[in-house]
Amino acid sequence: MGIDSGNPNLWYIDLNETESDIGATGGLFVLPNFTSHYFGQVGDIGSSIKFKLYNYRETPIVIENVNFTTSSFQSNSLFPITILPFSWGEINIEANNSTTGPVNDEMEFISEDFSDELKVSLSLNGSSGNLLGGNISGTFDSAEYIITSDIIIAEQDYVYLQPGTKFLFENGTNFNIYGTLNAIGNEQDSIIFESRYNNNNFLSWNGISFEEVDHSTILKYFRISDIVNNEGGSILLDNSTPILKNFIISDNKGIYGGGIFLINNSNPYIKDGIINGNSTFNENLLRGGGLAIGSSSGYFEDVLITNNFSPSGGGVYLFESNPEFINLTIVNNTADIGSGLVIDCNSTPNIVNSIIYHNSSVVPIIIDDFGNLGCILNEPNIRFSNIEGGWQGEGNINVNPLF
């Protein structure tokens, strides 16, 4: 019958604190975002993460407090916390390096709505230095910071990076931005995001993602390099509209958009930058060595896209996108198809005062649906631009730019 025969883990027990029943009536009627967490190396700055709990019950859950068994963990959340029916609740867990070396602990809930034995397992490795991992917020002074595990700017959190700040990423780590990042360097002191291991392809980091961020996220005078991302773009903008200015994005690899990948109605403002020496490496996808734009738009001005590689769209690849390209220079990129620019389904870029020249393929701009059924192919709107091989349009020329 399935009575008391479900998962024996305490997070799955029934409300009467017996082993869970199988089926829709069994279980604790809560959903945690994790039941154990390893913070990795924790240094002088500490680390934090938000424990989230969803209440599927028809009555509220009240958590009076939480307890830890060591001094390495604490919470700065305000208790009691009431989680209404069919709602999320959050507890912020902070980790510190008060104990050097491995630490194992548990977060215990003080609540009449849970068993006394219900706990979340926590662990870390206490160390020293400017080590970062987990949720980050606040202002970071000019210094080098070692990113030992994924770092996250959560929704409604803010991070400010001072000129000269360096984030040096351990192998395989990510920087995920859901809140607001202001990383504003200057001509003398750029802000740097790169591998801790100096462009070693076997010890690279996984990249930066901007997810549903708006124009209050601003990066100026920054450099990003040494990313190898086998799941998407090295720098991913997902439904996001950040401002990116005065940058160099170089020596990165991704599946789509070796340099930058825009998806899901992203509409950034990107100006005064260099996208150089990036590539794609998955032969089944093959799109956009420097820049790939999918179902998005964006305003790009005074951007140099050069020395990038992809089998299709060495410089730029577009799919269902209508970006503005003003004063772009797309040169010396390499591809089998469309070494300068590939325009795929339902895309109509506006290109003004730009140069597309000295790319590897005979035809630098290709309009192709690559076999996609129901696809509409549109001519780009190109004006007052220098296109190798020539292109119809007001004020266009075909003259060697003599770089």
Side-chain angles (χ1 to χ4, degrees):
M1 295 176 60
I3 303 299
D4 295 343
S5 57
N7 193 321
N9 186 296
L10 289 175
W11 281 99
Y12 297 93
I13 64 171
D14 291 339
L15 293 175
N16 62 5
E17 299 187 11
T18 62
E19 191 166 312
S20 63
D21 299 340
I22 294 175
T25 61
L28 197 55
F29 287 87
V30 297
L31 176 66
N33 62 334
F34 59 82
T35 59
S36 65
H37 183 73
Y38 175 56
F39 283 83
Q41 284 187 293
V42 176
D44 300 337
I45 299 171
S47 183
S48 68
I49 193 169
K50 285 183 170 65
F51 171 80
K52 298 181 180 181
L53 189 69
Y54 192 82
N55 177 13
Y56 282 103
R57 304 179 187 182
E58 296 181 353
T59 57
I61 293 172
V62 178
I63 301 174
E64 299 292 343
N65 211 330
V66 292
N67 286 335
F68 303 92
T69 59
T70 72
S71 61
S72 295
F73 299 94
Q74 62 183 18
S75 176
N76 62 353
S77 295
L78 297 177
F79 293 93
I81 293 174
T82 299
I83 308 175
L84 298 176
F86 305 104
S87 300
W88 286 98
E90 292 184 355
I91 298 172
N92 192 53
I93 304 172
E94 296 184 327
N96 62 71
N97 65 346
S98 58
T99 299
T100 301
V103 178
N104 295 300
D105 202 341
E106 293 177 321
M107 182 173 72
E108 176 187 358
F109 299 91
I110 309 302
S111 173
E112 294 183 358
D113 297 305
F114 293 144
S115 162
D116 292 340
E117 302 300 318
L118 191 68
K119 298 173 183 177
V120 174
S121 299
L122 304 170
S123 57
L124 60 78
N125 192 351
S127 189
S128 61
N130 290 338
L131 309 181
L132 290 178
N135 287 26
I136 61 173
S137 61
T139 299
F140 291 82
D141 293 331
S142 177
E144 288 190 359
Y145 300 88
I146 306 300
I147 314 305
T148 60
S149 61
D150 292 355
I151 53 174
I152 300 163
I153 303 176
E155 288 185 71
Q156 302 180 348
D157 280 348
Y158 295 81
V159 168
Y160 302 91
L161 304 184
Q162 299 293 336
T165 299
K166 293 183 179 181
F167 275 13
L168 306 179
F169 290 81
E170 293 276 10
N171 184 41
T173 52
N174 296 276
F175 189 2
N176 301 320
I177 302 164
Y178 305 94
T180 300
L181 171 64
N182 279 188
I184 301 178
N186 56 47
E187 290 187 22
Q188 291 73 39
D189 286 310
S190 294
I191 293 171
I192 296 174
F193 306 92
E194 66 183 15
S195 169
R196 186 182 181 186
Y197 302 102
N198 297 320
N199 200 23
N200 184 326
N201 286 335
F202 298 101
L203 295 170
S204 55
W205 59 296
N206 280 2
I208 300 179
S209 66
F210 299 86
E211 303 195 33
E212 298 189 354
V213 307
D214 61 23
H215 58 271
S216 61
T217 285
I218 302 172
L219 286 76
K220 294 182 180 180
Y221 292 103
F222 66 95
R223 303 204 308 261
I224 297 176
S225 61
D226 308 331
I227 296 168
V228 176
N229 190 314
N230 59 12
E231 295 180 354
S234 301
I235 302 161
L236 173 67
L237 277 63
D238 185 350
N239 190 25
S240 293
T241 60
I243 296 171
L244 310 178
K245 297 180 67 177
N246 310 105
F247 61 84
I248 299 174
I249 294 171
S250 62
D251 302 312
N252 303 291
K253 296 181 180 180
I255 292 178
Y256 275 94
I260 305 176
F261 183 28
L262 277 60
I263 58 172
N264 295 335
N265 299 308
S266 289
N267 186 22
Y269 179 87
I270 297 178
K271 180 174 168 54
D272 296 323
I274 298 173
I275 302 173
N276 174 61
N278 306 283
S279 61
T280 62
F281 61 92
N282 186 314
E283 294 185 359
N284 295 318
L285 297 173
L286 318 174
R287 310 288 163 85
L291 170 67
I293 306 178
S295 302
S296 297
S297 50
Y299 179 88
F300 298 77
E301 182 179 356
D302 296 319
V303 177
L304 171 63
I305 301 175
T306 186
N307 298 317
N308 303 287
F309 166 77
S310 178
S312 176
V316 180
Y317 167 80
L318 306 178
F319 180 84
E320 296 185 346
S321 297
N322 304 302
E324 295 278 338
F325 290 160
I326 313 297
N327 295 330
L328 255 63
T329 301
I330 303 175
V331 297
N332 297 325
N333 300 286
T334 302
D336 298 324
I337 301 172
S339 54
L341 169 65
V342 165
I343 301 171
D344 203 336
C345 293
N346 306 315
S347 297
T348 310
N350 187 43
I351 303 173
V352 181
N353 291 343
S354 296
I355 299 172
I356 303 177
Y357 229 96
H358 292 321
N359 299 286
S360 68
S361 56
V362 175
V363 181
I365 301 175
I366 291 291
I367 304 171
D368 198 326
D369 62 8
F370 296 94
N372 292 312
L373 298 178
C375 181
I376 298 175
L377 293 176
N378 301 317
E379 290 281 331
N381 179 20
I382 303 178
R383 297 177 295 124
F384 301 103
S385 295
N386 188 4
I387 310 298
E388 186 171 13
W391 199 275
Q392 291 186 349
E394 182 183 4
N396 292 331
I397 60 174
N398 175 19
V399 179
N400 189 334
L402 300 176
F403 292 130

